[in-house]
């Protein structure tokens, strides 16, 4: 297995840190407006997060939608350049960093700063799920003859049907017993924007469902472990030919 390494042109297009929580009774979407007031200068663009719930019924032996309700559950806040996004909702806290991704330290530190504000304002009782997700876009040369030149997990097409591949979706769900968590690896072709490349999305989603106290340092220690495991999974999923594309 290849050691983890730093790439000059890392293919990360989005990094996501997500904490699901239980909140005190009576917490409403208005609570999160206070949080935005504290970060308005850095995250000036804000929109409401709406949850839609539909109810189904049976009419003339067919299932139809008979009602729908909308509930405001929080806010989505964006930086001026749109590259940093956080969601503060009744379900939890999420921080996204879009490309260009700087470094784990900067990503983690900003997420932790915003989480501190979320925790001070919303006073979550417990953290019930911790997740770290990295979405990569690999621009492979259009001259490739086999995806195996660059990827170690690829779809197998029977020779009798092998007349070209117009698209694919592969997903692996891999228990991480030592972390008491789960790794989901997804691969799919993305829409082509450059005729000289074949874009492939390689998505790593690591998570654990567990109850932590909201101020528990173990949450952040565990996120460090997920980050290391993500790097291991990325290196295990690509070949040396792919590595040369990022150096």
């Amino acid at each position: 297995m290849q050691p983890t390494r730093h790439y000059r042109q890392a293919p990360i297009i989005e990094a996501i840190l997500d904490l699901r929580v239980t909140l005190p009774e009576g917490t409403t979407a208005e609570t999160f407006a206070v949080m935005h007031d504290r970060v308005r200068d850095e995250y000036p663009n804000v929109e409401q997060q709406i949850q839609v719930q539909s109810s189904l019924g049976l009419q003339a032996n067919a299932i139809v939608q008979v009602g729908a309700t909308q509930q405001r559950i929080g806010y989505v806040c964006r930086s001026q350049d749109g590259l940093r996004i956080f969601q503060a909702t009744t379900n939890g806290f999420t921080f996204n960093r879009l490309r260009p991704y700087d470094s784990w330290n900067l990503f983690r530190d900003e997420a932790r700063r915003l989480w501190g504000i979320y925790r001070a304002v919303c006073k979550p009782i417990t953290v019930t799920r911790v997740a770290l997700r990295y979405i990569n876009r690999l621009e492979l040369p259009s001259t490739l003859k086999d995806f195996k030149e660059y990827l170690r997990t690829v779809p197998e097409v029977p020779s009798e049907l092998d007349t070209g591949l117009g698209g694919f979706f592969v997903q692996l769900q891999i228990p991480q017993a030592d972390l008491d968590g789960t790794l989901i690896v997804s691969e799919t072709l993305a829409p082509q924007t450059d005729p000289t490349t074949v874009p492939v999305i390689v998505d790593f989603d690591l998570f654990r469902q567990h109850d932590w106290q909201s101020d528990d340092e173990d949450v952040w220690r565990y996120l460090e472990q997920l980050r290391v495991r993500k790097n291991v999974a990325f290196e295990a999923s690509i070949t040396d030919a792919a590595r040369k594309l990022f150096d």
Side-chain angles (χ1 to χ4, degrees), residues 16-21 91 93 104 115 126-133 179-183 205-214 216-227:
I16 306 158
L17 187 155
D18 182 74
L19 302 175
R20 301 291 90 185
V21 302
N91 297 321
F93 165 86
W104 164 251
W115 165 251
T126 57
V127 175
T128 59
R129 184 180 186 272
V130 169
L132 193 62
R133 183 179 178 188
L179 298 179
D180 194 22
T182 301
L183 165 64
D205 189 3
L206 282 145
F207 61 89
R208 180 186 180 190
Q209 291 179 312
H210 180 74
D211 281 346
W212 291 270
Q213 294 301 307
S214 66
D216 194 337
E217 283 294 316
D218 283 345
V219 168
W220 296 92
R221 282 192 284 267
Y222 188 71
L223 281 163
E224 294 286 345
Q225 292 179 289
L226 292 187
R227 181 253 180 167

Short mmCIF file of all heavy atoms in Angstrom, two decimals, residues 16-21 91 93 104 115 126-133 179-183 205-214 216-227:
data_model
loop_
_atom_site.label_atom_id
_atom_site.label_comp_id
_atom_site.label_asym_id
_atom_site.label_seq_id
_atom_site.Cartn_x
_atom_site.Cartn_y
_atom_site.Cartn_z
N ILE A 16 -16.03 17.76 2.92
CA ILE A 16 -17.23 17.96 3.75
C ILE A 16 -17.00 17.34 5.12
O ILE A 16 -16.64 16.18 5.23
CB ILE A 16 -18.47 17.31 3.10
CG1 ILE A 16 -18.65 17.81 1.66
CG2 ILE A 16 -19.73 17.57 3.93
CD1 ILE A 16 -19.47 16.90 0.79
N LEU A 17 -17.23 18.14 6.15
CA LEU A 17 -17.18 17.66 7.54
C LEU A 17 -18.58 17.82 8.11
O LEU A 17 -19.15 18.91 8.06
CB LEU A 17 -16.16 18.46 8.33
CG LEU A 17 -15.83 18.00 9.75
CD1 LEU A 17 -14.41 18.48 10.14
CD2 LEU A 17 -16.82 18.52 10.78
N ASP A 18 -19.13 16.72 8.64
CA ASP A 18 -20.53 16.74 9.05
C ASP A 18 -20.68 16.14 10.44
O ASP A 18 -20.16 15.06 10.73
CB ASP A 18 -21.37 15.93 8.05
CG ASP A 18 -22.85 15.94 8.39
OD1 ASP A 18 -23.49 16.98 8.18
OD2 ASP A 18 -23.34 14.91 8.87
N LEU A 19 -21.41 16.86 11.31
CA LEU A 19 -21.70 16.39 12.66
C LEU A 19 -23.22 16.42 12.86
O LEU A 19 -23.84 17.49 12.81
CB LEU A 19 -21.03 17.29 13.70
CG LEU A 19 -19.51 17.44 13.61
CD1 LEU A 19 -19.00 18.44 14.64
CD2 LEU A 19 -18.81 16.10 13.79
N ARG A 20 -23.81 15.25 13.07
CA ARG A 20 -25.25 15.17 13.40
C ARG A 20 -25.39 15.27 14.92
O ARG A 20 -24.56 14.75 15.68
CB ARG A 20 -25.85 13.87 12.93
CG ARG A 20 -25.75 13.59 11.43
CD ARG A 20 -26.62 14.52 10.62
NE ARG A 20 -25.92 15.74 10.23
CZ ARG A 20 -26.47 16.75 9.60
NH1 ARG A 20 -27.76 16.73 9.33
NH2 ARG A 20 -25.77 17.80 9.28
N VAL A 21 -26.47 15.91 15.37
CA VAL A 21 -26.60 16.20 16.80
C VAL A 21 -28.03 15.98 17.29
O VAL A 21 -28.97 15.87 16.50
CB VAL A 21 -26.20 17.67 17.10
CG1 VAL A 21 -24.79 17.96 16.64
CG2 VAL A 21 -27.19 18.65 16.47
N ASN A 91 -30.74 19.52 12.48
CA ASN A 91 -30.16 18.18 12.34
C ASN A 91 -28.68 18.15 12.73
O ASN A 91 -28.16 17.10 13.11
CB ASN A 91 -30.30 17.66 10.91
CG ASN A 91 -31.75 17.49 10.50
OD1 ASN A 91 -32.56 17.06 11.30
ND2 ASN A 91 -32.07 17.84 9.27
N PHE A 93 -24.54 20.17 12.05
CA PHE A 93 -23.62 21.17 11.52
C PHE A 93 -22.81 20.54 10.38
O PHE A 93 -22.32 19.42 10.51
CB PHE A 93 -22.67 21.63 12.63
CG PHE A 93 -21.47 22.39 12.14
CD1 PHE A 93 -21.53 23.76 11.93
CD2 PHE A 93 -20.26 21.74 11.90
CE1 PHE A 93 -20.42 24.45 11.47
CE2 PHE A 93 -19.15 22.43 11.46
CZ PHE A 93 -19.23 23.79 11.24
N TRP A 104 -5.66 20.18 5.05
CA TRP A 104 -6.47 19.64 6.12
C TRP A 104 -6.48 20.58 7.32
O TRP A 104 -7.53 20.82 7.93
CB TRP A 104 -5.98 18.26 6.54
CG TRP A 104 -6.51 17.80 7.86
CD1 TRP A 104 -5.81 17.68 9.03
CD2 TRP A 104 -7.87 17.43 8.18
NE1 TRP A 104 -6.63 17.25 10.06
CE2 TRP A 104 -7.90 17.09 9.56
CE3 TRP A 104 -9.03 17.36 7.43
CZ2 TRP A 104 -9.07 16.67 10.19
CZ3 TRP A 104 -10.19 16.94 8.07
CH2 TRP A 104 -10.21 16.60 9.43
N TRP A 115 -17.96 25.32 14.40
CA TRP A 115 -18.63 24.39 15.30
C TRP A 115 -18.70 24.96 16.71
O TRP A 115 -19.70 24.81 17.41
CB TRP A 115 -17.91 23.04 15.31
CG TRP A 115 -18.29 22.14 16.44
CD1 TRP A 115 -17.53 21.82 17.52
CD2 TRP A 115 -19.55 21.47 16.64
NE1 TRP A 115 -18.21 20.98 18.38
CE2 TRP A 115 -19.45 20.75 17.85
CE3 TRP A 115 -20.73 21.40 15.90
CZ2 TRP A 115 -20.50 19.97 18.35
CZ3 TRP A 115 -21.77 20.64 16.41
CH2 TRP A 115 -21.66 19.93 17.60
N THR A 126 -25.82 16.01 22.42
CA THR A 126 -24.87 14.99 21.99
C THR A 126 -24.58 15.13 20.50
O THR A 126 -25.37 15.71 19.75
CB THR A 126 -25.40 13.56 22.24
OG1 THR A 126 -26.65 13.41 21.56
CG2 THR A 126 -25.58 13.29 23.72
N VAL A 127 -23.45 14.59 20.10
CA VAL A 127 -23.13 14.37 18.68
C VAL A 127 -23.41 12.91 18.41
O VAL A 127 -22.90 12.02 19.11
CB VAL A 127 -21.65 14.70 18.38
CG1 VAL A 127 -21.30 14.35 16.94
CG2 VAL A 127 -21.36 16.17 18.66
N THR A 128 -24.24 12.61 17.42
CA THR A 128 -24.69 11.24 17.18
C THR A 128 -24.06 10.60 15.95
O THR A 128 -24.13 9.38 15.78
CB THR A 128 -26.21 11.20 17.02
OG1 THR A 128 -26.59 12.05 15.91
CG2 THR A 128 -26.90 11.68 18.28
N ARG A 129 -23.45 11.41 15.11
CA ARG A 129 -22.81 10.87 13.90
C ARG A 129 -21.71 11.82 13.46
O ARG A 129 -21.90 13.03 13.42
CB ARG A 129 -23.84 10.71 12.77
CG ARG A 129 -23.30 10.05 11.50
CD ARG A 129 -24.43 9.95 10.46
NE ARG A 129 -24.06 9.22 9.27
CZ ARG A 129 -23.48 9.79 8.19
NH1 ARG A 129 -23.21 11.10 8.18
NH2 ARG A 129 -23.20 9.05 7.13
N VAL A 130 -20.55 11.26 13.14
CA VAL A 130 -19.41 12.03 12.66
C VAL A 130 -19.06 11.53 11.27
O VAL A 130 -18.98 10.31 11.04
CB VAL A 130 -18.20 11.85 13.61
CG1 VAL A 130 -16.94 12.41 12.98
CG2 VAL A 130 -18.47 12.52 14.95
N ALA A 131 -18.87 12.44 10.32
CA ALA A 131 -18.58 12.02 8.95
C ALA A 131 -17.58 12.97 8.31
O ALA A 131 -17.56 14.17 8.58
CB ALA A 131 -19.86 11.98 8.11
N LEU A 132 -16.75 12.40 7.46
CA LEU A 132 -15.79 13.15 6.67
C LEU A 132 -15.87 12.61 5.24
O LEU A 132 -15.78 11.40 5.02
CB LEU A 132 -14.37 12.98 7.23
CG LEU A 132 -13.29 13.93 6.71
CD1 LEU A 132 -13.63 15.38 7.06
CD2 LEU A 132 -11.94 13.54 7.29
N ARG A 133 -16.05 13.53 4.29
CA ARG A 133 -16.23 13.11 2.90
C ARG A 133 -15.35 13.95 1.98
O ARG A 133 -15.29 15.18 2.13
CB ARG A 133 -17.70 13.25 2.51
CG ARG A 133 -18.03 12.78 1.11
CD ARG A 133 -19.52 12.94 0.84
NE ARG A 133 -19.87 12.53 -0.51
CZ ARG A 133 -21.07 12.71 -1.06
NH1 ARG A 133 -22.04 13.28 -0.35
NH2 ARG A 133 -21.31 12.33 -2.29
N LEU A 179 -11.97 1.26 13.38
CA LEU A 179 -12.52 2.59 13.67
C LEU A 179 -13.98 2.52 14.10
O LEU A 179 -14.57 3.55 14.42
CB LEU A 179 -12.40 3.50 12.45
CG LEU A 179 -10.99 3.81 11.93
CD1 LEU A 179 -11.06 4.70 10.71
CD2 LEU A 179 -10.16 4.47 13.02
N ASP A 180 -14.56 1.31 14.09
CA ASP A 180 -15.97 1.14 14.37
C ASP A 180 -16.80 2.04 13.46
O ASP A 180 -17.78 2.66 13.89
CB ASP A 180 -16.27 1.44 15.85
CG ASP A 180 -17.66 0.95 16.27
OD1 ASP A 180 -18.19 0.06 15.59
OD2 ASP A 180 -18.21 1.47 17.26
N GLY A 181 -16.38 2.12 12.20
CA GLY A 181 -17.05 3.01 11.26
C GLY A 181 -17.22 2.33 9.91
O GLY A 181 -17.03 1.12 9.76
N THR A 182 -17.56 3.13 8.91
CA THR A 182 -17.83 2.63 7.56
C THR A 182 -17.18 3.55 6.54
O THR A 182 -17.19 4.77 6.69
CB THR A 182 -19.34 2.55 7.29
OG1 THR A 182 -19.95 1.69 8.26
CG2 THR A 182 -19.64 2.01 5.90
N LEU A 183 -16.62 2.94 5.50
CA LEU A 183 -16.10 3.67 4.36
C LEU A 183 -16.94 3.32 3.14
O LEU A 183 -17.13 2.13 2.83
CB LEU A 183 -14.63 3.29 4.11
CG LEU A 183 -14.04 3.69 2.74
CD1 LEU A 183 -14.00 5.21 2.60
CD2 LEU A 183 -12.66 3.08 2.56
N ASP A 205 -16.43 8.53 1.49
CA ASP A 205 -17.32 8.96 2.57
C ASP A 205 -17.08 8.06 3.77
O ASP A 205 -17.37 6.86 3.73
CB ASP A 205 -18.78 8.87 2.10
CG ASP A 205 -19.76 9.50 3.08
OD1 ASP A 205 -19.31 10.05 4.10
OD2 ASP A 205 -20.98 9.42 2.83
N LEU A 206 -16.53 8.63 4.85
CA LEU A 206 -16.22 7.88 6.07
C LEU A 206 -17.09 8.40 7.20
O LEU A 206 -17.21 9.62 7.39
CB LEU A 206 -14.75 8.06 6.44
CG LEU A 206 -13.75 7.23 5.62
CD1 LEU A 206 -12.47 8.01 5.42
CD2 LEU A 206 -13.46 5.92 6.34
N PHE A 207 -17.68 7.49 7.99
CA PHE A 207 -18.55 7.96 9.06
C PHE A 207 -18.66 6.92 10.17
O PHE A 207 -18.35 5.74 9.98
CB PHE A 207 -19.95 8.30 8.51
CG PHE A 207 -20.66 7.13 7.89
CD1 PHE A 207 -21.47 6.30 8.65
CD2 PHE A 207 -20.53 6.85 6.53
CE1 PHE A 207 -22.14 5.23 8.09
CE2 PHE A 207 -21.18 5.78 5.95
CZ PHE A 207 -22.00 4.96 6.73
N ARG A 208 -19.14 7.41 11.30
CA ARG A 208 -19.44 6.54 12.43
C ARG A 208 -20.65 7.09 13.16
O ARG A 208 -20.76 8.30 13.39
CB ARG A 208 -18.26 6.49 13.40
CG ARG A 208 -18.52 5.59 14.62
CD ARG A 208 -17.40 5.67 15.63
NE ARG A 208 -17.65 4.81 16.79
CZ ARG A 208 -16.92 4.84 17.91
NH1 ARG A 208 -15.89 5.66 18.02
NH2 ARG A 208 -17.23 4.04 18.91
N GLN A 209 -21.58 6.20 13.52
CA GLN A 209 -22.71 6.57 14.35
C GLN A 209 -22.39 6.16 15.79
O GLN A 209 -22.09 5.00 16.07
CB GLN A 209 -23.98 5.89 13.85
CG GLN A 209 -24.43 6.43 12.51
CD GLN A 209 -25.68 5.76 11.99
OE1 GLN A 209 -25.77 4.54 11.99
NE2 GLN A 209 -26.64 6.56 11.54
N HIS A 210 -22.45 7.14 16.68
CA HIS A 210 -22.04 6.92 18.08
C HIS A 210 -22.51 8.13 18.86
O HIS A 210 -22.75 9.19 18.29
CB HIS A 210 -20.52 6.77 18.14
CG HIS A 210 -19.98 6.55 19.52
ND1 HIS A 210 -20.10 5.35 20.18
CD2 HIS A 210 -19.31 7.38 20.37
CE1 HIS A 210 -19.53 5.44 21.36
NE2 HIS A 210 -19.05 6.66 21.51
N ASP A 211 -22.66 8.00 20.16
CA ASP A 211 -23.04 9.15 21.00
C ASP A 211 -21.81 9.71 21.72
O ASP A 211 -21.17 9.01 22.50
CB ASP A 211 -24.08 8.72 22.04
CG ASP A 211 -25.48 8.62 21.44
OD1 ASP A 211 -25.67 9.13 20.32
OD2 ASP A 211 -26.36 8.04 22.07
N TRP A 212 -21.50 10.97 21.38
CA TRP A 212 -20.46 11.72 22.07
C TRP A 212 -21.11 12.92 22.76
O TRP A 212 -22.12 13.46 22.28
CB TRP A 212 -19.44 12.29 21.10
CG TRP A 212 -18.53 11.34 20.40
CD1 TRP A 212 -17.31 10.90 20.81
CD2 TRP A 212 -18.72 10.76 19.10
NE1 TRP A 212 -16.74 10.07 19.87
CE2 TRP A 212 -17.59 9.96 18.81
CE3 TRP A 212 -19.75 10.81 18.16
CZ2 TRP A 212 -17.45 9.25 17.63
CZ3 TRP A 212 -19.62 10.09 16.98
CH2 TRP A 212 -18.49 9.33 16.72
N GLN A 213 -20.53 13.38 23.85
CA GLN A 213 -20.92 14.67 24.39
C GLN A 213 -20.46 15.75 23.41
O GLN A 213 -19.43 15.60 22.75
CB GLN A 213 -20.29 14.90 25.77
CG GLN A 213 -20.80 13.94 26.84
CD GLN A 213 -22.31 14.06 27.03
OE1 GLN A 213 -22.84 15.15 27.24
NE2 GLN A 213 -23.00 12.93 26.95
N SER A 214 -21.22 16.83 23.30
CA SER A 214 -20.93 17.82 22.26
C SER A 214 -19.58 18.50 22.46
O SER A 214 -19.01 19.04 21.51
CB SER A 214 -22.04 18.87 22.21
OG SER A 214 -22.08 19.63 23.40
N ASP A 216 -16.90 16.89 23.58
CA ASP A 216 -15.96 15.78 23.72
C ASP A 216 -14.81 15.94 22.71
O ASP A 216 -15.04 15.97 21.49
CB ASP A 216 -16.69 14.46 23.48
CG ASP A 216 -15.89 13.25 23.94
OD1 ASP A 216 -14.66 13.35 24.03
OD2 ASP A 216 -16.52 12.20 24.20
N GLU A 217 -13.58 15.99 23.20
CA GLU A 217 -12.42 16.08 22.32
C GLU A 217 -12.28 14.85 21.44
O GLU A 217 -11.62 14.89 20.40
CB GLU A 217 -11.15 16.28 23.15
CG GLU A 217 -10.96 17.69 23.67
CD GLU A 217 -10.73 18.70 22.54
OE1 GLU A 217 -9.95 18.40 21.62
OE2 GLU A 217 -11.36 19.77 22.58
N ASP A 218 -12.88 13.74 21.87
CA ASP A 218 -12.80 12.51 21.08
C ASP A 218 -13.43 12.69 19.70
O ASP A 218 -13.05 11.99 18.74
CB ASP A 218 -13.48 11.35 21.80
CG ASP A 218 -12.62 10.79 22.93
OD1 ASP A 218 -11.41 11.11 22.96
OD2 ASP A 218 -13.16 10.04 23.76
N VAL A 219 -14.38 13.60 19.56
CA VAL A 219 -14.98 13.87 18.25
C VAL A 219 -13.90 14.31 17.27
O VAL A 219 -13.80 13.80 16.14
CB VAL A 219 -16.08 14.95 18.35
CG1 VAL A 219 -16.49 15.43 16.96
CG2 VAL A 219 -17.28 14.41 19.10
N TRP A 220 -13.05 15.22 17.69
CA TRP A 220 -12.03 15.77 16.80
C TRP A 220 -10.86 14.82 16.64
O TRP A 220 -10.25 14.76 15.57
CB TRP A 220 -11.61 17.15 17.28
CG TRP A 220 -12.79 18.07 17.17
CD1 TRP A 220 -13.72 18.35 18.14
CD2 TRP A 220 -13.24 18.73 15.99
NE1 TRP A 220 -14.70 19.15 17.63
CE2 TRP A 220 -14.44 19.40 16.32
CE3 TRP A 220 -12.75 18.81 14.69
CZ2 TRP A 220 -15.14 20.16 15.39
CZ3 TRP A 220 -13.45 19.56 13.76
CH2 TRP A 220 -14.64 20.23 14.11
N ARG A 221 -10.57 14.05 17.67
CA ARG A 221 -9.54 13.02 17.51
C ARG A 221 -10.01 11.97 16.51
O ARG A 221 -9.22 11.46 15.71
CB ARG A 221 -9.22 12.38 18.87
CG ARG A 221 -8.32 13.24 19.74
CD ARG A 221 -7.81 12.47 20.94
NE ARG A 221 -8.83 12.32 21.96
CZ ARG A 221 -8.98 13.16 22.99
NH1 ARG A 221 -8.18 14.21 23.13
NH2 ARG A 221 -9.94 12.96 23.89
N TYR A 222 -11.30 11.65 16.56
CA TYR A 222 -11.82 10.66 15.63
C TYR A 222 -11.80 11.20 14.20
O TYR A 222 -11.49 10.47 13.25
CB TYR A 222 -13.25 10.28 16.02
CG TYR A 222 -13.79 9.12 15.22
CD1 TYR A 222 -13.31 7.83 15.41
CD2 TYR A 222 -14.76 9.32 14.25
CE1 TYR A 222 -13.78 6.76 14.67
CE2 TYR A 222 -15.24 8.26 13.50
CZ TYR A 222 -14.75 6.99 13.72
OH TYR A 222 -15.21 5.94 12.96
N LEU A 223 -12.09 12.48 14.02
CA LEU A 223 -12.02 13.08 12.69
C LEU A 223 -10.60 13.02 12.13
O LEU A 223 -10.41 12.83 10.92
CB LEU A 223 -12.52 14.53 12.74
CG LEU A 223 -14.05 14.68 12.77
CD1 LEU A 223 -14.44 16.08 13.22
CD2 LEU A 223 -14.66 14.37 11.40
N GLU A 224 -9.61 13.17 12.99
CA GLU A 224 -8.22 13.02 12.55
C GLU A 224 -7.98 11.60 12.03
O GLU A 224 -7.31 11.41 11.01
CB GLU A 224 -7.25 13.32 13.70
CG GLU A 224 -7.27 14.76 14.18
CD GLU A 224 -6.58 15.73 13.22
OE1 GLU A 224 -5.84 15.26 12.33
OE2 GLU A 224 -6.79 16.95 13.37
N GLN A 225 -8.55 10.62 12.69
CA GLN A 225 -8.40 9.24 12.24
C GLN A 225 -9.09 9.01 10.90
O GLN A 225 -8.57 8.31 10.03
CB GLN A 225 -8.99 8.28 13.28
CG GLN A 225 -8.22 8.21 14.59
CD GLN A 225 -8.88 7.26 15.57
OE1 GLN A 225 -9.95 7.54 16.12
NE2 GLN A 225 -8.25 6.13 15.80
N LEU A 226 -10.26 9.63 10.73
CA LEU A 226 -10.97 9.50 9.46
C LEU A 226 -10.17 10.14 8.33
O LEU A 226 -10.12 9.60 7.22
CB LEU A 226 -12.36 10.15 9.55
CG LEU A 226 -13.39 9.49 10.46
CD1 LEU A 226 -14.74 10.17 10.29
CD2 LEU A 226 -13.51 8.00 10.19
N ARG A 227 -9.54 11.25 8.62
CA ARG A 227 -8.74 11.91 7.58
C ARG A 227 -7.58 11.04 7.14
O ARG A 227 -7.28 10.90 5.94
CB ARG A 227 -8.26 13.26 8.12
CG ARG A 227 -7.43 14.05 7.12
CD ARG A 227 -5.98 14.05 7.51
NE ARG A 227 -5.16 14.80 6.56
CZ ARG A 227 -3.91 15.16 6.80
NH1 ARG A 227 -3.34 14.87 7.96
NH2 ARG A 227 -3.21 15.80 5.89
#
